[in-house]
Amino acid sequence: MKRFRIFGFDFDTRVHMLTREIQDHWDEQVKEQHKQNREQIERGLVWQFGESAADQKRQNFTDLGPKPLSILAFHNKFFEQVRVSFVMGAYYPALTASCALGERILNHLVLILRDDFKSTPEYKRVYNKDSFDTWDTAIDILAAWDVLLPAVVLEFRKLRDRRNETIHFRPQVDENDRALALDAIRTLSSILGNQFCAFGPQPWFITDIPGEIYIKKDWESRPFIQKVYLPNCVAVGPQHKVESFRPW
């Protein structure tokens, strides 16, 4: 029997190499290799983001933490732009973009999934609309359709509050734009890392095969899995082997 195995995903864990301290019990060769890897990443950050204010950019990159291991969907491109904006010191653009991307994700989910829920009472609230700017409507409907995980619902509501505080004029934003942006990005990162993850404890994964991740058979027919996850998967049999990994 074939199962869908995930091959299309995105991540950036360079920050782990930057923040992990060398341990006394490591072999000298391991210590030296870790030092070289960290220096290489630091040079790469300067190349990527520029020499001007390089120390602050490195701190911004570190504070963001790793980019979550997520499947390829309608968030990766713009989330990377959000992260780059923050690293470059464009905190308010990063803040507003985080909120806008959260709203965009909600819209995408409702629009691509609604026809699969025509028999539900929520369908009549969204069937004839092209976009939704009321977060509670989209969040409540996706929760009712059992699309969003409970923890993700809470994170979306947190990002909604941040969006309302940011978009509606508040003088305080002038003084703490970095902190607000970092909080919004971390919230969005939690959403992506939980709802769109490529590996984890989510109920749709078979997780007892070391180094590999598959979709459970009884989840394959669910609209969210069909529309978002399966395009990142390949149906494979128990005797399959990976001979190459092409860019997705």
Side-chain angles (χ1 to χ4, degrees), residues 16-57:
H16 290 320
M17 188 65 67
L18 291 175
T19 57
R20 188 179 185 187
E21 297 296 333
I22 294 176
Q23 303 298 310
D24 292 336
H25 66 273
W26 291 358
D27 292 337
E28 291 303 316
Q29 185 177 357
V30 174
K31 292 179 180 179
E32 182 60 28
Q33 184 63 55
H34 180 79
K35 181 180 178 181
Q36 292 178 10
N37 289 339
R38 185 162 56 193
E39 291 174 351
Q40 182 178 3
I41 290 174
E42 289 174 344
R43 290 193 299 270
L45 292 177
V46 173
W47 177 86
Q48 182 179 1
F49 299 111
E51 294 182 0
S52 177
D55 289 343
Q56 182 60 55
K57 291 173 181 175

Side-chain angles (χ1 to χ4, degrees), residues 90-137:
Y91 303 130
Y92 187 70
L95 170 59
T96 56
S98 297
C99 299
L101 182 53
E103 184 171 315
R104 187 176 182 84
I105 292 170
L106 290 171
N107 272 266
H108 264 291
L109 288 175
V110 172
L111 292 175
I112 67 173
L113 298 175
R114 62 183 175 185
D115 286 346
D116 294 288
F117 294 93
K118 289 183 177 180
S119 61
T120 67
E122 293 81 18
Y123 177 73
K124 61 184 178 182
R125 300 172 59 188
V126 297
Y127 78 96
N128 63 344
K129 297 181 179 180
D130 295 326
S131 64
F132 314 91
D133 56 11
T134 303
W135 284 51
D136 284 329
T137 297

Side-chain angles (χ1 to χ4, degrees), residues 210-222:
E212 302 175 16
I213 194 71
Y214 299 86
I215 304 295
K216 290 180 180 178
K217 189 67 175 178
D218 56 349
W219 279 81
E220 291 178 8
S221 60
R222 300 217 181 185

Side-chain angles (χ1 to χ4, degrees), residues 137-148:
T137 297
I139 295 170
D140 290 345
I141 288 174
L142 291 170
W145 289 344
D146 199 24
V147 172
L148 298 180

